[in-house]
Amino acid sequence: MPVHARAALDEESVQPWQYDRSRAPVAVKVLVAGGFGVGKTTFVSSVSEITPLRTEAVMTQASIPTDDLSGTPDKSTTTVAMDFGRITLADDLVLYVYGTPGQKRFWFMWDDLVRGAIGGIVLADTRRLRDCFPALDYFESCGLPYAVAVNHFEGSDAYEPDDVREALTVPPHVPVLIMDARRRDTVVESLVTLVGHALDATPEP
């Protein structure tokens, strides 16, 4: 690659705050939770500006009694620890995005992942709404601000946010969005909504 081209590329990759250390961004942690196969890994991968960290393992026959594949028949791997990605939302704000494991046998990890988080996204699949109740209950019990993001799968019925809110008995102040985890713009919108909600829900120091 020519020297001038490499210099231009390097310049584009440098964030504005890196020129001025007094403008070092605030780094905040958010979680993405939900049921098995709801799209958490896809969510993190779609938005991350770095190569996302994944802890996926190939599913075996041993998972048949515990993992329901009726809604995701083509799924062959599963997250066994977490997914991790990073996105710079503004010059002064960087999000560290952690995707939680969805299977019940890995829920013990949620207590570690939630430490230091400012909020969480609960991903929901309208074909299997009951699968997101554990995440809703968990965030409610620990007082973590959260938003509900309905990951709309092809072939599934489309619902309005108010319909989903009513079905999940989500309080009026909690944001509910319809999105597609494969589309970066809708994932960013979900994260921006969550951050705004978390700031509104956090008492002034």
Side-chain angles (χ1 to χ4, degrees):
M1 177 183 296
V3 175
H4 69 277
R6 182 179 298 277
L9 181 61
D10 290 342
E11 184 176 341
E12 288 180 359
S13 65
V14 174
Q15 299 297 331
W17 57 266
Q18 291 175 298
Y19 293 113
D20 181 0
R21 292 300 179 182
S22 66
R23 297 177 59 204
V26 174
V28 297
K29 176 182 181 181
V30 298
L31 300 186
V32 182
F36 170 75
V38 76
K40 298 179 294 294
T41 297
T42 302
F43 184 104
V44 175
S45 299
S46 294
V47 79
S48 182
E49 62 195 16
I50 61 173
T51 301
L53 169 66
R54 300 175 180 173
T55 56
E56 290 193 311
V58 176
M59 298 177 63
T60 66
Q61 294 295 316
S63 68
I64 292 178
T66 55
D67 295 331
D68 181 10
L69 291 174
S70 58
T72 54
D74 297 328
K75 187 173 178 61
S76 59
T77 61
T78 184
T79 299
V80 296
M82 66 176 184
D83 298 307
F84 170 76
R86 184 190 73 197
I87 175 175
T88 303
L89 283 185
D91 293 350
D92 58 352
L93 180 60
V94 174
L95 295 189
Y96 293 135
V97 186
Y98 290 78
T100 67
Q103 300 93 322
K104 185 175 181 179
R105 59 188 180 276
F106 298 127
W107 286 354
F108 68 91
M109 297 192 63
W110 290 16
D111 290 337
D112 289 328
L113 291 174
V114 77
R115 292 174 185 167
I118 66 161
I121 293 280
V122 177
L123 274 188
D125 178 353
T126 55
R127 301 169 300 177
R128 300 173 291 144
L129 278 180
R130 66 182 183 277
D131 290 353
C132 71
F133 279 116
L136 290 171
D137 292 341
Y138 184 82
F139 289 160
E140 287 279 3
S141 66
C142 63
L144 189 72
Y146 67 91
V148 176
V150 178
N151 187 15
H152 182 65
F153 287 81
E154 292 181 6
S156 63
D157 293 333
Y159 294 92
E160 294 297 322
D162 286 344
D163 296 329
V164 177
R165 182 187 303 279
E166 181 178 356
L168 296 177
T169 320
V170 174
H173 69 278
V174 174
V176 178
L177 308 94
I178 309 297
M179 48 83 68
D180 185 336
R182 299 167 301 179
R183 291 180 49 194
R184 189 176 192 275
D185 59 332
T186 65
V187 175
V188 170
E189 179 185 1
S190 300
L191 291 171
V192 170
T193 299
L194 170 64
V195 171
H197 174 58
L199 290 174
D200 290 341
T202 302
E204 291 289 341

PDB file of all heavy atoms in Angstrom, residues 30-31 117-122 139-140 142-147 173-175 194-203:
ATOM      1  N   VAL A  30     -22.881  -2.127  28.735  1.00  0.00           N
ATOM      2  CA  VAL A  30     -24.284  -2.496  28.602  1.00  0.00           C
ATOM      3  C   VAL A  30     -24.373  -3.991  28.317  1.00  0.00           C
ATOM      4  O   VAL A  30     -23.449  -4.588  27.760  1.00  0.00           O
ATOM      5  CB  VAL A  30     -25.003  -1.701  27.487  1.00  0.00           C
ATOM      6  CG1 VAL A  30     -25.005  -0.213  27.793  1.00  0.00           C
ATOM      7  CG2 VAL A  30     -24.365  -1.964  26.131  1.00  0.00           C
ATOM      8  N   LEU A  31     -25.487  -4.584  28.697  1.00  0.00           N
ATOM      9  CA  LEU A  31     -25.712  -6.011  28.473  1.00  0.00           C
ATOM     10  C   LEU A  31     -26.784  -6.218  27.419  1.00  0.00           C
ATOM     11  O   LEU A  31     -27.680  -5.390  27.251  1.00  0.00           O
ATOM     12  CB  LEU A  31     -26.151  -6.696  29.769  1.00  0.00           C
ATOM     13  CG  LEU A  31     -25.213  -6.647  30.974  1.00  0.00           C
ATOM     14  CD1 LEU A  31     -25.774  -7.518  32.094  1.00  0.00           C
ATOM     15  CD2 LEU A  31     -23.817  -7.105  30.590  1.00  0.00           C
ATOM     16  N   ALA A 117     -22.578  -2.461  34.825  1.00  0.00           N
ATOM     17  CA  ALA A 117     -23.397  -2.111  33.653  1.00  0.00           C
ATOM     18  C   ALA A 117     -24.340  -0.961  33.992  1.00  0.00           C
ATOM     19  O   ALA A 117     -24.861  -0.873  35.108  1.00  0.00           O
ATOM     20  CB  ALA A 117     -24.194  -3.315  33.173  1.00  0.00           C
ATOM     21  N   ILE A 118     -24.565  -0.078  33.005  1.00  0.00           N
ATOM     22  CA  ILE A 118     -25.509   1.023  33.217  1.00  0.00           C
ATOM     23  C   ILE A 118     -26.916   0.656  32.766  1.00  0.00           C
ATOM     24  O   ILE A 118     -27.888   1.336  33.101  1.00  0.00           O
ATOM     25  CB  ILE A 118     -25.066   2.297  32.483  1.00  0.00           C
ATOM     26  CG1 ILE A 118     -25.119   2.089  30.958  1.00  0.00           C
ATOM     27  CG2 ILE A 118     -23.704   2.745  32.938  1.00  0.00           C
ATOM     28  CD1 ILE A 118     -25.150   3.383  30.172  1.00  0.00           C
ATOM     29  N   GLY A 119     -27.030  -0.425  31.978  1.00  0.00           N
ATOM     30  CA  GLY A 119     -28.340  -0.813  31.486  1.00  0.00           C
ATOM     31  C   GLY A 119     -28.263  -2.063  30.643  1.00  0.00           C
ATOM     32  O   GLY A 119     -27.166  -2.592  30.372  1.00  0.00           O
ATOM     33  N   GLY A 120     -29.414  -2.548  30.229  1.00  0.00           N
ATOM     34  CA  GLY A 120     -29.454  -3.771  29.434  1.00  0.00           C
ATOM     35  C   GLY A 120     -30.516  -3.718  28.351  1.00  0.00           C
ATOM     36  O   GLY A 120     -31.532  -3.024  28.478  1.00  0.00           O
ATOM     37  N   ILE A 121     -30.247  -4.444  27.292  1.00  0.00           N
ATOM     38  CA  ILE A 121     -31.228  -4.665  26.223  1.00  0.00           C
ATOM     39  C   ILE A 121     -31.785  -6.064  26.396  1.00  0.00           C
ATOM     40  O   ILE A 121     -31.029  -7.032  26.506  1.00  0.00           O
ATOM     41  CB  ILE A 121     -30.570  -4.565  24.825  1.00  0.00           C
ATOM     42  CG1 ILE A 121     -30.093  -3.139  24.532  1.00  0.00           C
ATOM     43  CG2 ILE A 121     -31.528  -5.054  23.738  1.00  0.00           C
ATOM     44  CD1 ILE A 121     -31.172  -2.189  24.090  1.00  0.00           C
ATOM     45  N   VAL A 122     -33.103  -6.184  26.437  1.00  0.00           N
ATOM     46  CA  VAL A 122     -33.744  -7.496  26.438  1.00  0.00           C
ATOM     47  C   VAL A 122     -34.215  -7.775  25.016  1.00  0.00           C
ATOM     48  O   VAL A 122     -35.133  -7.115  24.522  1.00  0.00           O
ATOM     49  CB  VAL A 122     -34.930  -7.558  27.416  1.00  0.00           C
ATOM     50  CG1 VAL A 122     -35.607  -8.926  27.324  1.00  0.00           C
ATOM     51  CG2 VAL A 122     -34.464  -7.299  28.840  1.00  0.00           C
ATOM     52  N   PHE A 139     -33.363  -8.195  35.311  1.00  0.00           N
ATOM     53  CA  PHE A 139     -33.071  -6.767  35.297  1.00  0.00           C
ATOM     54  C   PHE A 139     -33.962  -6.009  36.278  1.00  0.00           C
ATOM     55  O   PHE A 139     -33.518  -5.067  36.931  1.00  0.00           O
ATOM     56  CB  PHE A 139     -33.230  -6.196  33.893  1.00  0.00           C
ATOM     57  CG  PHE A 139     -32.150  -6.626  32.932  1.00  0.00           C
ATOM     58  CD1 PHE A 139     -32.351  -6.559  31.563  1.00  0.00           C
ATOM     59  CD2 PHE A 139     -30.928  -7.085  33.386  1.00  0.00           C
ATOM     60  CE1 PHE A 139     -31.357  -6.936  30.665  1.00  0.00           C
ATOM     61  CE2 PHE A 139     -29.925  -7.472  32.515  1.00  0.00           C
ATOM     62  CZ  PHE A 139     -30.137  -7.398  31.150  1.00  0.00           C
ATOM     63  N   GLU A 140     -35.225  -6.420  36.379  1.00  0.00           N
ATOM     64  CA  GLU A 140     -36.126  -5.779  37.332  1.00  0.00           C
ATOM     65  C   GLU A 140     -35.647  -6.010  38.761  1.00  0.00           C
ATOM     66  O   GLU A 140     -35.646  -5.089  39.584  1.00  0.00           O
ATOM     67  CB  GLU A 140     -37.546  -6.337  37.163  1.00  0.00           C
ATOM     68  CG  GLU A 140     -38.273  -5.867  35.914  1.00  0.00           C
ATOM     69  CD  GLU A 140     -38.880  -4.477  36.080  1.00  0.00           C
ATOM     70  OE1 GLU A 140     -38.685  -3.859  37.156  1.00  0.00           O
ATOM     71  OE2 GLU A 140     -39.537  -4.020  35.136  1.00  0.00           O
ATOM     72  N   CYS A 142     -32.657  -6.604  39.931  1.00  0.00           N
ATOM     73  CA  CYS A 142     -31.421  -5.918  40.322  1.00  0.00           C
ATOM     74  C   CYS A 142     -31.486  -4.421  40.056  1.00  0.00           C
ATOM     75  O   CYS A 142     -30.501  -3.704  40.247  1.00  0.00           O
ATOM     76  CB  CYS A 142     -30.205  -6.536  39.638  1.00  0.00           C
ATOM     77  SG  CYS A 142     -30.172  -6.428  37.848  1.00  0.00           S
ATOM     78  N   GLY A 143     -32.650  -3.932  39.604  1.00  0.00           N
ATOM     79  CA  GLY A 143     -32.840  -2.505  39.418  1.00  0.00           C
ATOM     80  C   GLY A 143     -32.063  -1.902  38.265  1.00  0.00           C
ATOM     81  O   GLY A 143     -31.784  -0.699  38.267  1.00  0.00           O
ATOM     82  N   LEU A 144     -31.723  -2.708  37.278  1.00  0.00           N
ATOM     83  CA  LEU A 144     -30.952  -2.217  36.130  1.00  0.00           C
ATOM     84  C   LEU A 144     -31.892  -1.645  35.076  1.00  0.00           C
ATOM     85  O   LEU A 144     -32.814  -2.333  34.621  1.00  0.00           O
ATOM     86  CB  LEU A 144     -30.131  -3.355  35.518  1.00  0.00           C
ATOM     87  CG  LEU A 144     -29.108  -2.946  34.448  1.00  0.00           C
ATOM     88  CD1 LEU A 144     -27.936  -2.217  35.113  1.00  0.00           C
ATOM     89  CD2 LEU A 144     -28.609  -4.164  33.681  1.00  0.00           C
ATOM     90  N   PRO A 145     -31.692  -0.395  34.649  1.00  0.00           N
ATOM     91  CA  PRO A 145     -32.522   0.146  33.566  1.00  0.00           C
ATOM     92  C   PRO A 145     -32.388  -0.715  32.312  1.00  0.00           C
ATOM     93  O   PRO A 145     -31.294  -1.180  31.991  1.00  0.00           O
ATOM     94  CB  PRO A 145     -31.936   1.546  33.337  1.00  0.00           C
ATOM     95  CG  PRO A 145     -31.255   1.901  34.618  1.00  0.00           C
ATOM     96  CD  PRO A 145     -30.710   0.600  35.141  1.00  0.00           C
ATOM     97  N   TYR A 146     -33.496  -0.916  31.621  1.00  0.00           N
ATOM     98  CA  TYR A 146     -33.446  -1.767  30.432  1.00  0.00           C
ATOM     99  C   TYR A 146     -34.437  -1.277  29.385  1.00  0.00           C
ATOM    100  O   TYR A 146     -35.359  -0.508  29.675  1.00  0.00           O
ATOM    101  CB  TYR A 146     -33.733  -3.229  30.787  1.00  0.00           C
ATOM    102  CG  TYR A 146     -35.147  -3.495  31.263  1.00  0.00           C
ATOM    103  CD1 TYR A 146     -36.152  -3.852  30.360  1.00  0.00           C
ATOM    104  CD2 TYR A 146     -35.481  -3.389  32.610  1.00  0.00           C
ATOM    105  CE1 TYR A 146     -37.445  -4.092  30.788  1.00  0.00           C
ATOM    106  CE2 TYR A 146     -36.771  -3.623  33.051  1.00  0.00           C
ATOM    107  CZ  TYR A 146     -37.754  -3.975  32.132  1.00  0.00           C
ATOM    108  OH  TYR A 146     -39.042  -4.209  32.558  1.00  0.00           O
ATOM    109  N   ALA A 147     -34.203  -1.722  28.162  1.00  0.00           N
ATOM    110  CA  ALA A 147     -35.129  -1.498  27.052  1.00  0.00           C
ATOM    111  C   ALA A 147     -35.409  -2.846  26.403  1.00  0.00           C
ATOM    112  O   ALA A 147     -34.572  -3.752  26.459  1.00  0.00           O
ATOM    113  CB  ALA A 147     -34.539  -0.532  26.031  1.00  0.00           C
ATOM    114  N   HIS A 173     -42.719   3.345  31.239  1.00  0.00           N
ATOM    115  CA  HIS A 173     -41.501   4.132  31.089  1.00  0.00           C
ATOM    116  C   HIS A 173     -40.377   3.368  30.388  1.00  0.00           C
ATOM    117  O   HIS A 173     -39.362   3.962  30.022  1.00  0.00           O
ATOM    118  CB  HIS A 173     -41.005   4.601  32.457  1.00  0.00           C
ATOM    119  CG  HIS A 173     -40.492   3.485  33.322  1.00  0.00           C
ATOM    120  ND1 HIS A 173     -41.343   2.687  34.062  1.00  0.00           N
ATOM    121  CD2 HIS A 173     -39.230   3.025  33.562  1.00  0.00           C
ATOM    122  CE1 HIS A 173     -40.634   1.793  34.728  1.00  0.00           C
ATOM    123  NE2 HIS A 173     -39.356   1.963  34.441  1.00  0.00           N
ATOM    124  N   VAL A 174     -40.537   2.060  30.181  1.00  0.00           N
ATOM    125  CA  VAL A 174     -39.494   1.245  29.559  1.00  0.00           C
ATOM    126  C   VAL A 174     -39.639   1.291  28.035  1.00  0.00           C
ATOM    127  O   VAL A 174     -40.707   0.976  27.506  1.00  0.00           O
ATOM    128  CB  VAL A 174     -39.573  -0.213  30.043  1.00  0.00           C
ATOM    129  CG1 VAL A 174     -38.580  -1.094  29.280  1.00  0.00           C
ATOM    130  CG2 VAL A 174     -39.298  -0.290  31.538  1.00  0.00           C
ATOM    131  N   PRO A 175     -38.594   1.672  27.303  1.00  0.00           N
ATOM    132  CA  PRO A 175     -38.691   1.716  25.837  1.00  0.00           C
ATOM    133  C   PRO A 175     -38.878   0.324  25.242  1.00  0.00           C
ATOM    134  O   PRO A 175     -38.264  -0.652  25.699  1.00  0.00           O
ATOM    135  CB  PRO A 175     -37.335   2.306  25.410  1.00  0.00           C
ATOM    136  CG  PRO A 175     -36.783   2.979  26.632  1.00  0.00           C
ATOM    137  CD  PRO A 175     -37.290   2.173  27.789  1.00  0.00           C
ATOM    138  N   LEU A 194     -31.361   2.903  24.739  1.00  0.00           N
ATOM    139  CA  LEU A 194     -31.052   2.374  26.065  1.00  0.00           C
ATOM    140  C   LEU A 194     -30.220   3.362  26.885  1.00  0.00           C
ATOM    141  O   LEU A 194     -30.519   3.598  28.065  1.00  0.00           O
ATOM    142  CB  LEU A 194     -30.298   1.049  25.948  1.00  0.00           C
ATOM    143  CG  LEU A 194     -29.721   0.525  27.269  1.00  0.00           C
ATOM    144  CD1 LEU A 194     -30.825   0.196  28.256  1.00  0.00           C
ATOM    145  CD2 LEU A 194     -28.817  -0.677  27.032  1.00  0.00           C
ATOM    146  N   VAL A 195     -29.186   3.929  26.272  1.00  0.00           N
ATOM    147  CA  VAL A 195     -28.325   4.865  26.997  1.00  0.00           C
ATOM    148  C   VAL A 195     -29.137   6.071  27.476  1.00  0.00           C
ATOM    149  O   VAL A 195     -29.004   6.516  28.620  1.00  0.00           O
ATOM    150  CB  VAL A 195     -27.143   5.313  26.120  1.00  0.00           C
ATOM    151  CG1 VAL A 195     -26.381   6.460  26.793  1.00  0.00           C
ATOM    152  CG2 VAL A 195     -26.200   4.141  25.853  1.00  0.00           C
ATOM    153  N   GLY A 196     -29.988   6.607  26.604  1.00  0.00           N
ATOM    154  CA  GLY A 196     -30.837   7.723  27.003  1.00  0.00           C
ATOM    155  C   GLY A 196     -31.752   7.363  28.141  1.00  0.00           C
ATOM    156  O   GLY A 196     -31.936   8.147  29.099  1.00  0.00           O
ATOM    157  N   HIS A 197     -32.337   6.168  28.072  1.00  0.00           N
ATOM    158  CA  HIS A 197     -33.238   5.710  29.144  1.00  0.00           C
ATOM    159  C   HIS A 197     -32.475   5.525  30.442  1.00  0.00           C
ATOM    160  O   HIS A 197     -32.960   5.894  31.529  1.00  0.00           O
ATOM    161  CB  HIS A 197     -33.898   4.407  28.721  1.00  0.00           C
ATOM    162  CG  HIS A 197     -34.723   3.771  29.797  1.00  0.00           C
ATOM    163  ND1 HIS A 197     -35.791   4.411  30.405  1.00  0.00           N
ATOM    164  CD2 HIS A 197     -34.634   2.554  30.394  1.00  0.00           C
ATOM    165  CE1 HIS A 197     -36.336   3.622  31.308  1.00  0.00           C
ATOM    166  NE2 HIS A 197     -35.636   2.498  31.328  1.00  0.00           N
ATOM    167  N   ALA A 198     -31.260   4.957  30.364  1.00  0.00           N
ATOM    168  CA  ALA A 198     -30.451   4.725  31.561  1.00  0.00           C
ATOM    169  C   ALA A 198     -30.080   6.060  32.214  1.00  0.00           C
ATOM    170  O   ALA A 198     -30.093   6.185  33.450  1.00  0.00           O
ATOM    171  CB  ALA A 198     -29.195   3.933  31.203  1.00  0.00           C
ATOM    172  N   LEU A 199     -29.748   7.057  31.399  1.00  0.00           N
ATOM    173  CA  LEU A 199     -29.412   8.367  31.950  1.00  0.00           C
ATOM    174  C   LEU A 199     -30.627   9.005  32.633  1.00  0.00           C
ATOM    175  O   LEU A 199     -30.508   9.620  33.690  1.00  0.00           O
ATOM    176  CB  LEU A 199     -28.903   9.295  30.838  1.00  0.00           C
ATOM    177  CG  LEU A 199     -27.529   8.948  30.264  1.00  0.00           C
ATOM    178  CD1 LEU A 199     -27.206   9.852  29.085  1.00  0.00           C
ATOM    179  CD2 LEU A 199     -26.450   9.065  31.338  1.00  0.00           C
ATOM    180  N   ASP A 200     -31.795   8.842  32.016  1.00  0.00           N
ATOM    181  CA  ASP A 200     -33.012   9.399  32.613  1.00  0.00           C
ATOM    182  C   ASP A 200     -33.355   8.700  33.924  1.00  0.00           C
ATOM    183  O   ASP A 200     -33.915   9.319  34.842  1.00  0.00           O
ATOM    184  CB  ASP A 200     -34.189   9.259  31.650  1.00  0.00           C
ATOM    185  CG  ASP A 200     -34.059  10.170  30.431  1.00  0.00           C
ATOM    186  OD1 ASP A 200     -33.276  11.144  30.511  1.00  0.00           O
ATOM    187  OD2 ASP A 200     -34.711   9.894  29.415  1.00  0.00           O
ATOM    188  N   ALA A 201     -33.034   7.391  33.996  1.00  0.00           N
ATOM    189  CA  ALA A 201     -33.413   6.601  35.166  1.00  0.00           C
ATOM    190  C   ALA A 201     -32.410   6.694  36.299  1.00  0.00           C
ATOM    191  O   ALA A 201     -32.699   6.288  37.427  1.00  0.00           O
ATOM    192  CB  ALA A 201     -33.581   5.126  34.767  1.00  0.00           C
ATOM    193  N   THR A 202     -31.223   7.246  36.003  1.00  0.00           N
ATOM    194  CA  THR A 202     -30.176   7.331  37.019  1.00  0.00           C
ATOM    195  C   THR A 202     -30.296   8.661  37.760  1.00  0.00           C
ATOM    196  O   THR A 202     -30.279   9.724  37.123  1.00  0.00           O
ATOM    197  CB  THR A 202     -28.786   7.226  36.380  1.00  0.00           C
ATOM    198  OG1 THR A 202     -28.692   5.994  35.662  1.00  0.00           O
ATOM    199  CG2 THR A 202     -27.695   7.272  37.454  1.00  0.00           C
ATOM    200  N   PRO A 203     -30.387   8.613  39.081  1.00  0.00           N
ATOM    201  CA  PRO A 203     -30.502   9.868  39.851  1.00  0.00           C
ATOM    202  C   PRO A 203     -29.258  10.731  39.672  1.00  0.00           C
ATOM    203  O   PRO A 203     -28.145  10.235  39.486  1.00  0.00           O
ATOM    204  CB  PRO A 203     -30.627   9.369  41.303  1.00  0.00           C
ATOM    205  CG  PRO A 203     -31.046   7.945  41.198  1.00  0.00           C
ATOM    206  CD  PRO A 203     -30.447   7.430  39.922  1.00  0.00           C
TER     207      PRO A 203
END
